[in-house]
Every structure is written in C-alpha cells, then in structure tokens.
Amino acid sequence: MKHILICRTDNIGDVVLTLPMAGYLRRLYPDCRIDLLCRGYVAPLMAHCRHFNQVITLESIGDARAFFAASGVDTVIFAYPDRRLAAAAWRARVPRRVGTSHRLYHLWYCNRLARFSRVNSPLHEAQLNFALLRPLGIDHVPGLAELPALYGLEAPALADTGPDIQALARRAPYNLVLHTKSNGNGREWPLAHYTALARRLQARPDIRLWVTGSAAEGQLLAREAPELLALPNVDNLCGRVDLPGLGALIGACSGLLASGTGPLHVAAALGRPTLGLFPQRKPIDAGRWGALGLRARSLSAHGSCPGCDNAATCSCMTGITPEQVEAILLSWCVPEGDAVAAAAADLHAAPPQSGPRTLVISPNWIGDAVMAQPLLQLLRARHPERPIDVLAPPAVAPAWQQMREVSEVLQTPFRHGALQLRERWRYARLLKARGYAEAYVLPNTLKYALIPWLAGIARRVGYKGESRHGLINVMHHDDVPPRPMVPFYAALADAPGAPLRGDVPRPALRVTAAQMEAAAARAGLAVDRPLVVFAPGAEFGPAKRWPPAHFAALARQVVASLPQAQVALLGSPKDRPVCDEIVAAVAGSDAAGAVFNLAGQTSLAEAIALIGRSAAIVSNDSGLLHVASSLDRPVVAIYGPTDPDHAPPFATVARSLSLRLACAPCRQRECPLGHHDCMRGLDAGMVWQALQPMLGASRIAATDGFAV
C-alpha cells in the first residue's frame, strides 16, 4: 500500500476516535501517503493531526468517481459507510476497497469486507475501528492504554483566535469548559445540575467557566438555563468560536466536562483533563464511548437504573450529583504537584453511606494485596453491615477493585518511600470526615501507621513493624520464623496472641465472563483458542526471574503440543524488555505467531481478566502468581531466591518448583554469588512436566461473576 484514504464523513467525535487507527497505520507504514476525507466543518481541526498528508473535505470533491480516478489512492477505508463514495471508488477501480459486511451495497462495491458487529461488542468504539484493518491483513486491536499515544492531534494555536478569546484565557488561573449539549447524540446531564455546579464553583474566584456549544445550543440555553448564563463566573461562548477555535480553547483550558459528545473526545485526544458523564445502558455507556486519554475519566451514577432503556425514564444522568462532579473538577485546579488536593476527588466523588466504616491500608505489592483478602472476608463476616474501604497505591488498586468485600478503593497520593508528613496530615483530615471506626494497617512501615492515627481513628490494628507503639493500639507481633502470608494477614482479624485459625478462607477475586471476553478482544486474542499465560517479570528484582530463554523453550513446547494455543506474556512496562527477549527467541519457530507480548499493554484489571480465562499460568514468585491462585487457575510457580513455603500458590491445581539449593532462599534482588543457578538449573523440560497435565484437565472457571 502506497496511498491510503480514510473516509470518515460523519461527526467530529467519530472522526477523533478514528485517529488511533490512522496512527497505527502510520506506525506500520511510515512512508505511505495517508489522507483523510471528512466533512468541511471537521477538516480545519483534523489538519492539526500529524498522521495525515492531506485532509480533504467532502464538499470539495465534486464528481466522486473523477476524484477517486485522479487521486492515485490504492486503498480506501470506509470508516463511515457512504453508498455514493463506495460506488464511486468501485467505478474508479480503486484496487482495495474496505467496508463493513453489514451494509448490503458494500457486498457489491467493496472487495475487502470487515465482518464484525458493533451492537453487542464489548470493545470501545476506537477499538472497533481497528476491525476495518483485518481485511488488509492487519489483525491487531490495541488495549485501551495504548490508544492515547496514537491520536497524533495537536491543539490549534490560541493566537489564531480573536483577541477577545485570547483575553478570556488570561482572566483566571483556571478555566474549565462546560459543553452542556450533545446535538442529540447522547444522554445529557441536566442543565439544572450544570447550574448548581457553577454556583458551587463561585466559591473559587480563581476558576472561570467557559460554556461552549453551537449558536443554536446557545439560544436553547438562554431559554432553558438563563440562570446558568447569568452567573458572574460563567462566560457564554456558544456560537462565538468555530471548531478550530474550540480546539484552541480546549488546548488552553484546565479541563473539560461533557456528556458523550465530540468535544469530549477532542479534549481527551489533546491530553487535557477530561470528565465524561455517561448512562449505564449499553451500547451508549462509557465502555463504548468514554473519553480515552492520559488524563481522561468517565463517571456514571451508582446503583441500578430500571428505566435506563428509555431516555424519558432514565435516571442515570440525574443520579450524578453536582458535588461528585465538583470534586473531580477541583482536583484539576490545584497547584502543580499537589497530589493530596487531587486525591480529594476520590474521597468526595462517591459520598459514603452513614454509619461506621472500616479502613484497610494496603500493602505495596499486588501479591500481598491478594493474600490479604481473607482478612477482609473475616471482617465482613463479623460486621456484614459495615462498609470496608481500602487505601492502596495506584498500581495495586485494581486488584482490590476485583474483591467483592471492598466498598471503595481510595488511591494513595504519596510518593513511594517519602515521609511527606504534611501531606499525610492533610489527607488524614479528609479521611476523618468519613467516620472510620477501625483501621487495619497492613504495611509494616511507620509512615502508613501515621495516617489512621492522624485521622483520629479509635481502633488501629497492625503488626509492631517499625516500633509503632502508640500509632498502633491493637498490636500483633511477628512470628519467628514468619508464617505464610495468608494466615499472617488473616490473624489481624483476631485478638493479638490468639491461636491460629484453622479455617482461614482462600483468596478469591471476582471476574465476569464479559470482562474476560472484553480483555481478550482488547488484547487481540482469539476467544475460541486456548490461552496459556506466562508471567516472566518480578518487581522485586532479577534474581526472581526464570531466564527468558527457558520461557521461550517452554512456549515452543506448549505450541508444539497444542498448535491452537496462544501464549500471552503479561507484566508491567518494566517487564517488556524481558518479554521482548522471549519473543525474539521464538522467532522463526512455529510458536512465533502464537506468542503475544502484552507486558505494559494491559491494565492490571485486564491482566486479571486474561488470567481468569487462561488454561494455566506459569509464573515467577510475583503478584500475578497470586492473582492466578485467587482465580483458581492451574498454576506452575517457579521459586529460586525466595521460599516456596512462605507464599505458596493456593489454587486447587498448583505446583511449586524449586531446586532448594543450599544457598537458597537468599531473598536477594540479585544473585549474591553471580551464578543464578537456582533459576537456571530449572530447565523448560521440568516445568513442562508440571504444566502438561494441567493443560489437559483445565477449564475456564468463571460463573455468575465470581471465580470458583
């Protein structure tokens, strides 16, 4: 392909969500000419996307057949179906004409058909656009985390707007865009809620509100929400700027609030703080149309909505309160680096129910968080009426969100390893208002014990750790030698010194069939082929990693035995170089097309879902090992410098492999002797002997939303 034309002749939001597909094509074919055909009102903004050689307006082409014949285009992708354009490309004999199979006229006019359904798909709209590349031999659907880097859109210069618009940007330190209407394309937040929000924000004289929209929408607001436009902190810009001008304003703003509408996606693509308000009903929910950006998030009402199928009876949008939205918007309007103020949004976005609550302060490691779940099961059994909140590092938070015992997950705003005493005091004041009756401090550090003490929580339970006398007032003492981690955490549910329980429950994360299907689709994995997961990383250090060459040899053995198998390499972005070595080592073998390097390409929630649908997992002593155990997937756990008896897998079908050398367990990040024999000596054949029977007996174990 030398000249690709993408035809997207509908609305601005749909065009923006097509940009990642264009960016991926540009990545694959850097020397290819890629043009965009779109509507005239969209073109000036799309001219600021670096992926396109030329942006052509639909209104300018005249005779469509003559246009295609003279264009030199060899591949046309109808991202938005248009019968006239498809017929013109056919008559002009464009060599490759791509369209969806569910348009009858495409069966005649297009010679490359993409067969997929948008209606029931779990994918985001931006991901669905990638299905149009399959007829071209490009079978890849990026994960949601990968998409923001593919937009390639830059904001028009504010200097190109009028002087009055430029002056607006200088009036206040923080300027928020409120795009109140959606041109009928989505469920809208009530205008009364926008008015209430604007009134609440009057308490912040450093914040201005820019109400944007078309001239017609401005007239509607003047009739239906005159109180909003009359507020002194509101600037009515409806009808005053064209689309490039709106793009410039969004690029200069402190954040944008909207429902499912084009400017929402423009803001996300430009990397601005973005909040989208969505109903729960599929396929108009945030899962399909949510803003995708590094600083974008979506908000929907809590609880069920019986009338969601009908816009007239739907209460989803009215259920999102101005207070919830205000907390998030205020988190954008803080001095740079004030993470505690930003974290306040999570504390206020979902107001807690009345009555006492329990706070659990999470360990810093995913595996430890999973192994602490039985403690929460015991606490819930003791007080079934009491909500349990978890304060967790951002990297660990998704694991807690998969636990049915957890009411809310609050993300810690502190830098790893930093004391930040002033910040902890400020955050503790926010926690104090939530009415916690008790706190369980799972990390052993002094700095985490400070938080519940500063928050005035009466009962503070934990281990002695760093001599935390006074900060912890229900103090347990570590065992020597230490007990396995699951009963270690579970013991905190009982009085200090109480006999060890013999009935400690097993950790059990929840994962639904829909989550597993969606994660597989987003990762580009076939749902009808068996999946084997490898977890080659280890956050603690390289000593815990089984050699990449051994993983590669095992992958070749898996594919040789099960030709339909897919092998997914999961891990964090830090693990990607190790996984790259595995992919390089299988190049040229039958396993080359079956090994998928997903390290750093999935969220933790997506990784959990993929593990949930796997036939088995092979893992180092890492967090994903314990995730797999909590989902009761067959597990082969590889131990070298760590003790297999301290944190063993607890799945029904599990094997722990360790050579138990004289120098082990050294518990060092790097081999102190330099030979790493504890891992190198475990060859792929030994691991295959443990894995092979698991693959024969495995099943995907998710029913009714919870792992069994």
Side-chain angles (χ1 to χ4, degrees):
M1 293 183 291
K2 295 182 179 180
H3 189 172
I4 300 172
L5 177 67
I6 298 173
C7 295
R8 187 87 219 200
T9 53
D10 49 347
N11 298 318
I12 177 61
D14 303 284
V15 178
V16 170
L17 292 178
T18 307
L19 297 183
M21 180 187 74
Y24 192 70
L25 286 171
R26 176 60 69 199
R27 181 182 293 177
L28 291 179
Y29 307 110
D31 298 325
C32 180
R33 180 183 177 92
I34 302 176
D35 295 340
L36 173 70
L37 178 65
C38 62
R39 293 168 63 185
Y41 90 99
V42 177
L45 181 59
M46 291 301 103
H48 292 269
C49 178
R50 61 177 177 268
H51 303 321
F52 299 123
N53 296 87
Q54 184 179 5
V55 176
I56 305 162
T57 66
L58 179 64
E59 296 84 351
S60 70
I61 64 174
D63 183 336
R65 179 187 179 281
F67 162 75
F68 278 112
S71 66
V73 168
D74 58 40
T75 304
V76 58
I77 300 172
F78 294 106
Y80 180 72
D82 187 305
R83 182 171 187 151
R84 180 178 73 93
L85 293 176
W90 173 73
R91 293 189 182 100
R93 297 184 179 180
V94 175
R96 286 174 289 273
R97 306 178 301 278
V98 182
T100 59
S101 61
H102 56 267
R103 298 285 178 158
L104 289 177
Y105 55 83
H106 281 169
L107 302 179
W108 182 263
Y109 294 131
C110 293
N111 59 2
R112 302 285 194 278
L113 295 177
R115 293 177 171 83
F116 66 99
S117 171
R118 295 180 185 270
V119 177
N120 298 314
S121 173
L123 295 179
H124 191 278
E125 187 69 15
Q127 293 174 310
L128 284 169
N129 289 323
F130 279 76
L132 293 164
L133 303 183
R134 288 177 188 154
L136 301 174
I138 305 169
D139 192 4
H140 175 64
V141 178
L144 294 179
E146 186 180 348
L147 291 169
L150 293 171
Y151 279 121
L153 187 65
E154 298 176 357
L158 195 63
D160 294 336
T161 62
D164 55 336
I165 300 299
Q166 296 176 43
L168 279 177
R170 297 191 293 268
R171 286 186 64 182
Y174 305 108
N175 298 290
L176 301 175
V177 173
L178 308 185
H179 199 84
T180 60
K181 307 301 291 182
S182 66
N183 196 28
N185 292 324
R187 302 266 173 97
E188 297 172 351
W189 205 41
L191 291 175
H193 282 25
Y194 276 107
T195 304
L197 171 68
R199 286 198 176 108
R200 294 180 66 87
L201 290 173
Q202 283 184 282
R204 285 285 301 269
D206 57 339
I207 297 176
R208 299 290 304 176
L209 304 178
W210 296 342
V211 175
T212 58
S214 66
E217 289 169 339
Q219 294 171 5
L220 185 147
L221 290 176
R223 293 193 305 271
E224 299 186 6
E227 301 89 350
L228 171 64
L229 300 183
L231 290 172
N233 59 334
V234 171
D235 295 304
N236 180 8
L237 303 184
C238 293
R240 291 178 58 186
V241 292
D242 57 9
L243 187 56
L246 179 61
L249 280 175
I250 292 173
C253 77
S254 304
L256 178 141
L257 168 69
S259 54
T261 184
L264 179 80
H265 302 296
V266 172
L270 293 175
R272 304 310 302 145
T274 308
L275 176 61
L277 308 181
F278 288 90
Q280 301 172 20
R281 181 176 178 269
K282 298 181 180 299
I284 58 173
D285 62 333
R288 173 61 62 84
W289 293 102
L292 298 177
L294 297 176
R295 305 176 70 184
R297 64 185 294 183
S298 300
L299 186 63
S300 298
H302 297 279
S304 61
C305 178
C308 203
D309 288 345
N310 189 325
T313 58
C314 175
S315 61
C316 281
M317 303 305 278
T318 56
I320 303 172
T321 68
E323 291 79 9
Q324 290 174 279
V325 175
E326 179 194 27
I328 295 171
L329 267 57
L330 289 178
S331 73
W332 302 339
C333 303
V334 296
E336 186 174 353
D338 193 344
V340 174
D346 288 326
L347 293 178
H348 297 303
Q353 64 191 65
S354 59
R357 303 173 76 88
T358 294
L359 178 66
V360 174
I361 299 182
S362 168
N364 288 320
W365 306 100
I366 294 169
D368 285 7
V370 171
M371 290 185 285
Q373 187 190 14
L375 167 63
L376 275 67
Q377 296 179 43
L378 296 172
L379 297 178
R380 174 54 54 88
R382 180 183 300 163
H383 294 290
E385 81 292 347
R386 183 176 293 180
I388 300 174
D389 297 343
V390 176
L391 179 62
V396 180
W400 293 103
Q401 290 165 345
Q402 302 297 126
M403 300 181 190
R404 70 186 97 185
E405 299 81 13
V406 176
S407 298
E408 290 186 54
V409 179
L410 311 173
Q411 296 192 23
T412 56
F414 314 115
R415 296 189 304 275
H416 179 68
L419 179 59
Q420 293 182 278
L421 183 59
R422 181 173 178 272
E423 287 80 1
R424 290 176 194 273
W425 175 77
R426 290 172 57 203
Y427 194 75
R429 289 181 62 193
L430 296 171
L431 290 175
K432 186 173 185 177
R434 294 173 68 87
Y436 291 110
E438 57 183 0
Y440 291 81
V441 186
L442 305 191
N444 278 333
T445 59
L446 181 143
K447 53 183 175 289
Y448 275 111
L450 280 169
I451 295 171
W453 179 70
L454 291 169
I457 299 174
R459 188 169 185 268
R460 305 180 298 278
V461 185
Y463 284 95
K464 176 184 176 183
E466 296 177 342
S467 298
R468 303 184 295 182
H469 297 284
L471 300 179
I472 299 295
N473 59 8
V474 181
M475 184 173 288
H476 292 244
H477 293 272
D478 302 350
D479 290 339
V480 181
R483 74 190 83 168
M485 293 303 294
V486 171
F488 174 79
Y489 287 128
L492 294 176
D494 297 321
L500 291 180
R501 286 175 174 263
D503 60 345
V504 176
R506 185 179 65 82
L509 298 186
R510 60 180 179 180
V511 58
T512 66
Q515 288 173 320
M516 292 191 292
E517 181 183 349
R522 289 167 181 163
L525 298 170
V527 295
D528 57 348
R529 294 170 56 190
L531 176 66
V532 179
V533 168
F534 290 175
E539 187 70 19
F540 180 75
K544 291 174 69 173
R545 296 179 189 146
W546 199 43
H550 289 14
F551 270 112
L554 182 62
R556 290 192 291 269
Q557 183 65 64
V558 168
V559 175
S561 179
L562 294 171
Q564 293 300 310
Q566 305 166 103
V567 178
L569 310 180
L570 297 183
S572 71
K574 295 179 182 178
D575 301 323
R576 192 162 183 86
V578 172
C579 295
D580 284 338
E581 291 185 46
I582 299 171
V583 172
V586 300
S589 71
D590 291 340
V595 177
F596 298 81
N597 184 0
L598 303 180
Q601 301 301 309
T602 67
S603 65
L604 178 55
E606 289 170 334
I608 292 171
L610 290 175
I611 292 171
R613 75 165 302 274
S614 67
I617 178 173
V618 178
S619 177
N620 300 323
D621 181 11
S622 69
L624 295 184
L625 163 67
H626 304 296
V627 167
S629 289
S630 71
L631 295 170
D632 206 22
R633 305 315 300 135
V635 175
V636 178
I638 302 174
Y639 296 87
T642 53
D643 183 357
D645 299 325
H646 180 60
F650 38 84
T652 304
V653 178
R655 285 286 304 277
S656 296
L657 300 182
S658 173
L659 295 178
R660 296 185 182 269
L661 300 182
C663 57
C666 68
R667 299 185 178 88
Q668 299 298 309
R669 294 180 183 270
E670 298 185 9
C671 177
L673 303 177
H675 52 61
H676 206 206
D677 286 350
C678 60
M679 290 302 230
R680 290 178 180 171
L682 272 167
D683 62 37
M686 299 168 67
V687 177
W688 174 243
Q689 286 181 357
L691 177 63
Q692 185 180 20
M694 296 180 182
L695 297 180
S698 179
R699 62 186 176 87
I700 294 177
T703 59
D704 237 8
F706 294 93
V708 297

